[in-house]
Amino acid sequence: MGSYWSAVNAYRCEDFAGYMTEISHRYPRVAEYLENEVGFEKWSRCHYPGLKYNITTTNMVESLNSMLVNARDFPYVALLDVIQEKMSKWWNDRRIVAMTITAPLIPSQESEFRPRFAQSNAHHAQVSVYSLVSPYYTKEYYVLAYDETIYPVGSQSQWDVPNKVATRVVLPREVKERKRGKSKTSRFPSVGEFRKRKNRCGKCGAFEHYKKKCNSQTGSTEGNQPTDVPV
């Protein structure tokens, strides 16, 4: 039942439909049971109605956390400077790519949609390929998406602060007594989220092998210690 496990773990509904077609051809009663009596939402990843950790709900947040891992302890203004610098670089890189596009569609859609269109009935009916594509995938929309300018925060001495803001008294936040020990910098895994574990070599301290297979002539003689590695 390789097709079943592939359907279970499929991220896209299109892939899931292909695997279900294979199951229905080989095991029609099983396919009917899974679809009508069990329901796709109870065993299929792409049809699950709840929060999909590690798939859709945390990927963007984790990407930003990884980007700001060294700047999270900065003051607010310095942190905004780091975000502004990174966003400006992204905007500039994509603006350069947009100006080099010669086709009506962006490169990813041009390479993916063209072969599929050549095998469709629309191609034989002499329908324009560009009339079937959303305008959001065209070069014009891609250029407009990165047309705006991202301005730096600027020096605090040059800020134009309104008088009603400058005269407002802002009290410091209430500081609670800290617990003893080192402050935790990594978060606890969410429900359904797992972290990979790697075994550290007890001889040289590296991660990719065990003590018995270590070729190093120096290092510690302690045993292997599993270490949590955040993903």
Side-chain angles (χ1 to χ4, degrees):
M1 291 292 289
S3 299
Y4 168 75
W5 289 111
S6 299
V8 170
N9 298 314
Y11 287 93
R12 301 191 307 171
C13 292
E14 294 83 357
D15 298 336
F16 173 83
Y19 295 127
M20 279 302 300
T21 302
E22 296 179 9
I23 296 175
S24 61
H25 287 166
R26 300 182 60 184
Y27 311 100
R29 295 179 59 186
V30 174
E32 182 180 358
Y33 172 78
L34 292 174
E35 180 177 1
N36 299 326
E37 298 188 31
V38 179
F40 293 155
E41 68 279 359
K42 294 183 179 179
W43 58 275
S44 169
R45 171 180 285 167
C46 63
H47 288 90
Y48 178 64
L51 298 177
K52 300 181 178 67
Y53 291 100
N54 288 337
I55 303 175
T56 60
T57 59
T58 60
N59 278 355
M60 291 186 292
V61 175
E62 294 298 341
S63 297
L64 287 176
N65 282 340
S66 178
M67 180 189 75
L68 302 174
V69 64
N70 296 324
R72 286 183 297 184
D73 296 332
F74 291 177
Y76 291 138
V77 176
L79 177 61
L80 291 175
D81 286 335
V82 174
I83 297 175
Q84 180 271 331
E85 180 183 0
K86 192 65 176 181
M87 296 295 291
S88 298
K89 182 180 183 303
W90 287 349
W91 249 242
N92 184 64
D93 293 343
R94 285 159 176 76
R95 191 179 293 117
I96 294 175
V97 172
M99 299 308 296
T100 58
I101 298 176
T102 57
L105 300 179
I106 59 177
S108 60
Q109 293 300 314
E110 191 75 33
S111 60
E112 179 180 350
F113 193 69
R114 278 286 185 181
R116 296 173 59 184
F117 175 77
Q119 301 175 2
S120 65
N121 296 329
H123 173 70
H124 301 289
Q126 297 182 351
V127 177
S128 174
V129 59
Y130 304 115
S131 64
L132 305 175
V133 183
S134 171
Y136 293 103
Y137 296 112
T138 60
K139 174 185 176 180
E140 289 74 17
Y141 275 68
Y142 192 82
V143 172
L144 290 175
Y146 301 101
D147 185 59
E148 298 294 335
T149 302
I150 299 178
Y151 296 97
V153 177
S155 174
Q156 189 171 354
S157 60
Q158 300 176 351
W159 291 2
D160 184 13
V161 183
N163 186 52
K164 64 178 182 179
V165 177
T167 57
R168 179 175 297 179
V169 178
V170 180
L171 299 177
R173 67 176 183 176
E174 181 182 358
V175 179
K176 297 181 180 180
E177 183 179 357
R178 291 182 54 185
K179 297 180 180 180
R180 295 182 179 181
K182 184 179 179 182
S183 300
K184 183 175 178 60
T185 57
S186 59
R187 61 176 179 78
F188 292 101
S190 302
V191 178
E193 183 180 4
F194 302 96
R195 295 189 176 183
K196 296 180 180 178
R197 295 175 62 88
K198 289 187 178 181
N199 289 314
R200 185 192 299 270
C201 175
K203 186 175 182 180
C204 67
F207 280 107
E208 301 300 329
H209 59 272
Y210 293 94
K211 179 180 178 180
K212 292 182 179 180
K213 297 184 178 181
C214 181
N215 296 324
S216 176
Q217 300 299 324
T218 59
S220 173
T221 58
E222 299 178 357
N224 296 342
Q225 300 178 355
T227 305
D228 287 338
V229 179
V231 293

